[in-house]
Amino acid sequence: MVHERWTHHFDYLTTLLGYSIGAGTFLKFPYLSMRNGGGAFLIPFLIFTVIGAIPCVFLEMVIGQFSQSGPVEVWNVCPPFKGIGLGTVFISWTYATYNASIFAWYLYYFVHSFAANLPWAHCNNDWNTDRCISPRGFGNTSSSNITTYFDNVTTYSDNLTPYTDNLTTYSDNLTAVSSAATLYSTNGSVVGVTAAEEFWRYKVLEITSGLDHLGGIRWPLAGFLAVAIVAAFFSVLWGIKVSGKIVYITVSVPYILNTVFLIRGCLLPGSAEGIYYYIYPDFEKLLYPRVWLEACAYSLFSMGIGMGCIITMSGHNKFNNNCLRDSIVMCLVDAVSCIYVGFSVFAIIGHVAHQRGLTVEDFQSSGFNLAFIVFPEVVSALPLPQLWSALTFIMLVLLLIDTLIPTYEMVVTALTDRVPALARRRWLATVLVLAASGLVSLVYVSQGGIYVITLVDWYATFPSLALFATMECIAISWCYGTKRLEDDIANMWGRTIPRHISFCLRYISPPLLLAVFGFSLYSYRPPRYGEYTFPDWATGLGWIISFASILPFPILFIWTVYQTHGDTIKEKLQNALKPSLKWGCQDQVASDGQDVLQTMMSTKM
């Protein structure tokens, strides 16, 4: 089946840029940089971007464009590995289900940004407790005065995310799992809880005691969830000719807003201290292997390597598009964007720290902590807080749209590739994918949904994503062979690839990915949400979620080899690893008299 083509090549690049940046860049990169040596962290990050990310992104672009197919059918290049495609579809669909609920949370905050007094800036609300502390001095406090609040604060107790502790979660949204704004005195006793955290826990979530008590659905959040599903439905239904234009707004507006935040932040007192804290290089950190591994993991997976999106989006390209140019541009722009975002975030945080008599380090946080506790507190301390709050959350909403639409597009493409009858009824395939996603997402917007989303986020990509990315690189570079890959590239745009790219694909990228995979296993720890310990049955359920994406790979590998002709296991394996007759762009093969296929099949590794 012929895939729809991009109206303009810039639509493709903008879509991938929005997908790679997403809301997660604002929620994790500044934090990772700050905790791993500031400016020194940028050194391994940029190194791994060049030697790891660019070759891997280039690889996915090439096989997607050459095959003109989605994440499952692309594995006609090496049929035993088709289980990787099914696994990535499962991961991406799971990823989309909880991102849709996060969209609902962002929209909830956006709507409440128009209140006369921001509800997370004071303690005069019905849901506030006696322990509520408002830095701005509203309402009840558990201290005699605000000075006591500043004197007693030592840090935000931020339990680190699955990504930074385990290197298990590489998605754009990380589940921060702590009560980050619970404040402690110097002797360790609890002083109180900020108004921002109480709004998050008791108003937005109406949180229950644990997984055993999920409670009812939060219907306001369910309404915002419906908005996300409906918007995604029409964007995917109308195809890339429409979604490729929507991204011009959803990508450009956050860049503009980030620039506004940076300019405004730099004009405020204390911003210089925040930026200095962000970029000051602590070179001693580079002596720790964890810093290099976290930089490697982030550089590789911030572009969505192993998620199937690059393959799917590249499948809509013209057959003669230059993927090498695109991969270099996309990876470098993504890296620069990550660094740029950090300046605006820390300029604002530096001002708020200066205003409240705290240090920038007191605001160390990532993931949900940063988005739903720290960000609301920060904007409430700015002049015209309603304006800055609305701009902050509409930016996060737009960035999440950039992640949601390509993800759903990828899942729908995988479904229509496998079931051609649905390709002629794309609306039905879109309904099936989005309806199933919406129903599952309802669990996440229940009162105990935060526990479910923490559990799913903890295991959905662990350790499957790193495993799939590793096997993908090995399958193409070694089983299919870089020589065949070079022939395919020559057939597409008439040039070969630089030798250092081939070298990286064979000898650099696989070991890097394997190191990340191994370290994720080594660093594993059970999930938690603040002080809540997940029961054993929940951990078991998490492992089931994890293996649900992995199991198709060994099952289909064994089945494909078994079904392949051959007298011995070795012959069967050798024959199975050869490209299928369906490999490549069939229309292009037909028009060229199957020259592409014949060249590929006759080439030795």
Side-chain angles (χ1 to χ4, degrees):
M1 176 189 169
V2 179
H3 280 197
E4 187 179 15
R5 291 282 186 269
W6 297 102
T7 304
H8 193 281
H9 187 60
F10 197 64
D11 299 358
Y12 163 69
L13 296 178
T14 308
T15 299
L16 284 186
L17 180 61
Y19 179 81
S20 65
I21 296 175
T25 298
F26 285 82
L27 304 184
K28 65 188 178 186
F29 182 80
Y31 169 76
L32 286 176
S33 179
M34 184 170 62
R35 104 182 191 105
N36 288 310
F41 178 76
L42 301 181
I43 297 174
F45 172 65
L46 293 175
I47 289 174
F48 289 127
T49 296
V50 173
I51 68 173
I54 290 177
C56 288
V57 169
F58 171 71
L59 176 67
E60 292 201 352
M61 286 182 173
V62 167
I63 62 176
Q65 182 173 300
F66 187 77
S67 66
Q68 299 284 292
S69 61
V72 179
E73 294 306 301
V74 73
W75 285 105
N76 287 320
V77 64
C78 202
F81 289 84
K82 191 166 286 190
I84 293 177
L86 293 177
T88 57
V89 171
F90 177 81
I91 291 174
S92 294
W93 181 80
T94 305
Y95 175 57
T97 59
Y98 64 72
N99 267 331
S101 64
I102 295 167
F103 178 97
W105 291 338
Y106 286 154
L107 211 54
Y108 190 88
Y109 272 81
F110 172 72
V111 170
H112 281 77
S113 297
F114 296 96
N117 288 320
L118 294 179
W120 52 79
H122 62 88
C123 296
N124 288 335
N125 305 291
D126 294 339
W127 59 81
N128 290 128
T129 66
D130 293 336
R131 293 196 306 155
C132 178
I133 291 179
S134 169
R136 298 179 61 182
F138 285 91
N140 301 325
T141 66
S142 59
S143 308
S144 58
N145 52 57
I146 298 303
T147 302
T148 306
Y149 163 79
F150 289 124
D151 289 342
N152 288 338
V153 172
T154 56
T155 186
Y156 282 88
S157 175
D158 184 24
N159 294 329
L160 303 180
T161 65
Y163 177 89
T164 53
D165 272 3
N166 294 339
L167 290 175
T168 60
T169 303
Y170 307 104
S171 58
D172 277 346
N173 173 70
L174 302 182
T175 304
V177 293
S178 65
S179 301
T182 302
L183 307 176
Y184 298 84
S185 65
T186 53
N187 64 8
S189 61
V190 175
V191 173
V193 180
T194 63
E197 186 185 2
E198 289 205 345
F199 177 79
W200 165 240
R201 293 175 65 85
Y202 305 136
K203 177 61 176 176
V204 180
L205 301 178
E206 292 187 3
I207 193 167
T208 61
S209 59
L211 271 177
D212 295 323
H213 303 90
L214 287 181
I217 294 174
R218 292 280 290 116
W219 291 110
L221 295 177
F224 292 132
L225 173 63
V227 172
I229 296 298
V230 171
F233 171 78
F234 284 107
S235 296
V236 175
L237 179 65
W238 291 333
I240 60 171
K241 292 187 183 298
V242 174
S243 63
K245 296 298 183 284
I246 293 175
V247 293
Y248 289 148
I249 298 174
T250 58
V251 172
S252 62
V253 170
Y255 270 103
I256 294 171
L257 292 178
N258 185 69
T259 304
V260 171
F261 290 147
L262 178 59
I263 294 172
R264 179 60 180 134
C266 289
L267 297 176
L268 296 172
S271 60
E273 287 78 3
I275 293 175
Y276 177 80
Y277 190 93
Y278 169 53
I279 65 173
Y280 177 76
D282 182 2
F283 291 110
E284 290 185 2
K285 292 281 189 178
L286 297 180
L287 299 175
Y288 297 97
R290 175 185 288 273
V291 174
W292 289 82
L293 285 164
E294 288 189 355
C296 179
Y298 188 84
S299 65
L300 289 170
F301 293 103
S302 65
M303 280 295 299
I305 294 171
M307 293 288 285
C309 182
I310 296 176
I311 292 174
T312 303
M313 296 299 107
S314 299
H316 297 289
N317 280 337
K318 294 180 180 179
F319 190 74
N320 62 351
N321 176 62
N322 188 333
C323 297
L324 180 60
R325 173 199 59 205
D326 291 346
S327 63
I328 294 173
V329 169
M330 290 307 305
C331 289
L332 294 182
V333 171
D334 177 64
V336 172
S337 298
C338 291
I339 297 170
Y340 182 57
V341 163
F343 281 98
S344 62
V345 170
F346 278 92
I348 299 295
I349 289 180
H351 165 67
V352 176
H354 170 81
Q355 186 185 55
R356 296 184 178 177
L358 303 174
T359 65
V360 177
E361 189 176 6
D362 291 333
F363 289 88
Q364 278 199 43
S365 192
S366 64
F368 291 169
N369 288 344
L370 187 60
F372 300 114
I373 299 175
V374 175
F375 274 180
E377 278 208 28
V378 166
V379 297
S380 66
L382 298 174
L384 299 175
Q386 289 83 357
L387 171 63
W388 295 112
S389 178
L391 292 177
T392 296
F393 285 104
I394 196 61
M395 177 177 66
L396 293 173
V397 164
L398 293 175
L399 288 170
L400 199 56
I401 290 174
D402 292 332
T403 301
L404 274 174
I405 293 177
T407 303
Y408 281 129
E409 173 71 30
M410 186 268 287
V411 177
V412 170
T413 299
L415 183 60
T416 54
D417 281 351
R418 294 297 298 168
V419 186
L422 287 177
R424 295 184 292 272
R425 298 177 179 84
R426 184 179 174 85
W427 66 270
L428 180 57
T430 307
V431 167
L432 291 174
V433 171
L434 271 295
S437 177
L439 290 175
V440 172
S441 297
L442 283 175
V443 178
Y444 301 140
V445 295
S446 65
Q447 291 172 305
I450 187 64
Y451 301 111
V452 182
I453 201 171
T454 298
L455 183 68
V456 173
D457 191 35
W458 205 278
Y459 287 100
T461 59
F462 169 73
S464 52
L465 188 57
L467 173 64
F468 290 160
T470 304
M471 298 309 299
E472 175 183 285
C473 205
I474 292 174
I476 303 300
S477 301
W478 290 94
C479 297
Y480 185 63
T482 53
K483 183 62 173 65
R484 284 173 174 163
L485 193 67
E486 289 175 358
D487 291 338
D488 296 341
I489 292 167
N491 277 297
M492 285 193 289
W493 68 84
R495 295 181 183 179
T496 186
I497 58 176
R499 291 193 176 276
H500 72 272
I501 294 291
S502 295
F503 180 83
C504 288
L505 286 174
R506 290 174 67 90
Y507 302 109
I508 302 297
S509 297
L512 289 179
L513 290 164
L514 193 61
V516 173
F517 172 67
F519 192 69
S520 69
L521 294 176
Y522 171 78
S523 303
Y524 168 78
R525 60 185 176 85
R528 60 185 180 184
Y529 181 78
E531 299 301 320
Y532 176 74
T533 301
F534 282 79
D536 292 339
W537 65 265
T539 303
L541 179 60
W543 282 109
I544 291 175
I545 294 171
S546 177
F547 282 108
S549 61
I550 296 176
L551 282 179
F553 172 49
I555 291 174
L556 286 181
F557 191 99
I558 295 172
W559 176 253
T560 303
V561 172
Y562 174 76
Q563 290 288 94
T564 304
H565 68 276
D567 296 329
T568 64
I569 294 179
K570 182 179 179 180
E571 287 183 6
K572 284 178 174 288
L573 182 60
Q574 289 176 335
N575 291 330
L577 291 176
K578 293 179 180 179
S580 163
L581 293 176
K582 296 179 180 179
W583 166 241
C585 177
Q586 297 303 302
D587 291 335
Q588 188 70 23
V589 169
S591 65
D592 292 344
Q594 296 191 349
D595 289 341
V596 174
L597 185 60
Q598 291 171 2
T599 301
M600 178 189 69
M601 295 296 292
S602 63
T603 304
K604 295 182 179 180
M605 289 183 60

